[in-house]
Amino acid sequence: MTASTPTSSSVAQVGNKALAFPARVIQKVIGDRLSGHLTFTDPRDPSIGWNLYVGNGQLHYANSTVGHQERFNYLCQRYCPQLSTTLATDETEYQYLCRLWQQGQLTLPQLRKLLFLFSQEALVHIFAMPQATLQMEQVAGLEHLVLCVPIKETLSQLRQAITQAVQVRTYLNSPLQRLVLTTTERVPADLWPMDYGRNIAAALPQLLEHKPVLYEVATQLRMEAIATAQLLQPALVNGLIGQDPYTGPTSDTRPIVACIDDSRTIQRNVRLILETCGYRVLGLMQPTHALSALNDTKPNLVLMDISMPEMDGYELCRQLRQTEALKDVPVVMLTGRDGLVDRIRARMVGATDYLTKPFTPQELLSLAERFTQTAAMESHS
């Protein structure tokens, strides 16, 4: 099975879209011991999807494609309330937890336990989807592979939760659907049993004031997400609570600077310098995966290390210049060497400029300001 040719027994053709049956696809993954990154997108709301990372038919991780902060807040409250729950820009909960492990704040067994619990919760929602559009990449794309467990054994522990999630989907499409109160009238308390209906009806306007996703409501109520959906069922079934697509908390208009460097120190310094001055930093540590991420993000500026494993900065810059959507993005090469030959070679592959490490905060800020302003002016000309 590949991204372009999924097995016919796992996929149905509906109009012009191929819809996969997630349960059958995952059985195929297990049986054929497949490896890669699968993305199941909800056909009812294409803004919502679920990632499944597998290796040789084993589970590496599973999570949502959107709503990382909302879901992470919910999962932390349940499994690790002692942790800070603020994710950095463009950081997934997987990256955050691995960072805590590397900093010595989590042991490896603790990390694996949390990743396993977080993955189980995502698998419940993947299996609850009757159909989904499917995309598969042969490379998992996870920076650290610290979890490797049999999917079949994992699922055997989730049967009851999957059954409940399937039932919930009959009236709530996804825990990442935005919930909105559709009436300005008083919510009738008699939709619920009298012993607590009055309290629920009175609380709904405040609970749903900012169009939260189910995870946020569950976090406020300190309840499990599925139990929270069951609590809201009468209002959802009666149309008092509407469901909007997940669109993210707010639109981010900050200039985007991508930093491609396998040094954590450089990544941390670049993020600290630029984000405090109003930039959004996209940190990429694996050059072989950088092009697809850059294509999705369309940064205003790319900072690129020359000396990296697997693919050096010269080759990556050359490939970037051959990519239609990225060929005009300014690229500044980062290196510890300040030789004339390196500068000439950088220019030959299409680099815009050259910055020698270590650099000062002012040098980096001046460079970012110069090139992001130039790129903005050219895009509006």
Side-chain angles (χ1 to χ4, degrees):
M1 182 177 63
T2 66
S4 57
T5 57
T7 59
S8 58
S9 62
S10 304
V11 177
Q13 195 71 26
V14 179
N16 294 323
K17 292 186 178 180
L19 295 181
F21 302 97
R24 293 186 193 174
V25 170
I26 295 174
Q27 289 301 322
K28 179 73 174 173
V29 167
I30 297 170
D32 291 357
R33 302 175 69 85
L34 299 178
S35 301
H37 170 200
L38 293 82
T39 302
F40 299 92
T41 303
D42 195 326
R44 296 184 191 174
D45 183 357
S47 72
I48 297 172
W50 298 89
N51 297 309
L52 177 63
Y53 302 91
V54 293
N56 203 24
Q58 305 278 300
L59 171 68
H60 288 322
Y61 192 58
N63 70 344
S64 59
T65 60
V66 294
H68 296 291
Q69 185 67 70
E70 295 96 328
R71 183 169 175 265
F72 187 51
N73 290 346
Y74 163 73
L75 292 171
C76 273
Q77 186 183 85
R78 292 194 64 197
Y79 299 122
C80 47
Q82 74 280 8
L83 294 183
S84 168
T85 58
T86 303
L87 302 177
T89 305
D90 298 312
E91 186 176 43
T92 67
E93 72 286 350
Y94 188 96
Q95 294 168 325
Y96 174 74
L97 292 174
C98 286
R99 179 156 58 86
L100 293 186
W101 164 55
Q102 292 175 315
Q103 293 171 352
Q105 298 182 48
L106 288 175
T107 65
L108 185 57
Q110 289 172 329
L111 174 64
R112 285 176 173 156
K113 182 178 180 180
L114 288 177
L115 294 180
F116 180 68
L117 291 170
F118 286 19
S119 296
Q120 280 189 314
E121 200 273 343
L123 279 170
V124 166
H125 298 295
I126 293 174
F127 267 79
M129 299 170 71
Q131 292 181 325
T133 56
L134 171 67
Q135 179 180 351
M136 182 171 179
E137 300 175 6
Q138 299 298 325
V139 179
L142 292 174
E143 187 176 339
H144 304 284
L145 295 180
V146 296
L147 183 69
C148 188
V149 295
I151 297 177
K152 187 176 294 186
E153 292 179 18
T154 304
L155 292 173
S156 67
Q157 305 172 28
L158 302 176
R159 289 174 183 168
Q160 182 178 356
I162 292 171
T163 299
Q164 291 176 330
V166 169
Q167 293 170 347
V168 165
R169 275 188 68 92
T170 62
Y171 54 87
L172 177 60
N173 189 50
S174 166
L176 288 161
Q177 214 78 57
R178 295 214 170 265
L179 305 178
V180 55
L181 201 60
T182 61
T183 178
T184 56
E185 303 295 326
R186 186 174 181 178
V187 178
D190 58 4
L191 289 175
W192 293 271
M194 288 304 294
D195 56 345
Y196 60 86
R198 188 176 301 168
N199 292 335
I200 299 172
L204 279 182
Q206 183 176 354
L207 279 174
L208 306 183
E209 182 180 2
H210 301 293
K211 297 179 66 174
V213 300
L214 183 69
Y215 287 126
E216 293 175 290
V217 179
T219 302
Q220 289 184 67
L221 298 178
R222 296 186 175 274
M223 294 176 60
E224 291 188 4
I226 289 177
T228 303
Q230 292 168 336
L231 184 69
L232 300 178
Q233 178 183 4
L236 286 160
V237 170
N238 281 272
L240 291 172
I241 296 178
Q243 303 176 47
D244 286 353
Y246 182 92
T247 55
T250 55
S251 59
D252 194 338
T253 58
R254 293 175 295 170
I256 301 172
V257 177
C259 179
I260 308 170
D261 198 306
D262 62 332
S263 165
R264 297 190 180 280
T265 300
I266 292 295
Q267 291 282 1
R268 183 171 59 250
N269 290 344
V270 168
R271 188 180 296 277
L272 182 65
I273 294 168
L274 294 183
E275 290 201 338
T276 54
C277 294
Y279 293 88
R280 174 183 164 195
V281 176
L282 174 65
L284 301 168
M285 298 188 69
Q286 294 179 299
T288 51
H289 301 155
L291 272 183
S292 60
L294 296 176
N295 221 7
D296 292 339
T297 311
K298 305 294 190 301
N300 302 92
L301 170 65
V302 174
L303 306 174
M304 187 183 301
D305 187 25
I306 289 180
S307 301
M308 293 183 288
E310 300 180 20
M311 181 189 300
D312 65 26
Y314 297 124
E315 174 60 21
L316 182 56
C317 184
R318 186 187 64 79
Q319 292 185 17
L320 187 145
R321 288 294 177 239
Q322 293 176 349
T323 303
E324 183 63 29
L326 302 170
K327 64 180 183 180
D328 296 323
V329 176
V331 175
V332 174
M333 306 300 277
L334 305 177
T335 182
R337 300 172 296 185
D338 192 16
L340 179 61
V341 174
D342 295 317
R343 290 178 179 271
I344 294 174
R345 190 175 175 189
R347 292 287 187 183
M348 288 177 65
V349 295
T352 313
D353 209 335
Y354 192 101
L355 184 61
T356 304
K357 297 185 285 188
F359 44 80
T360 67
Q362 190 54 50
E363 285 176 323
L364 181 60
L365 282 171
S366 298
L367 182 144
E369 182 177 348
R370 175 159 52 100
F371 285 117
T372 55
Q373 285 184 353
T374 301
M377 285 169 41
E378 290 177 351
S379 66
H380 288 93
S381 62

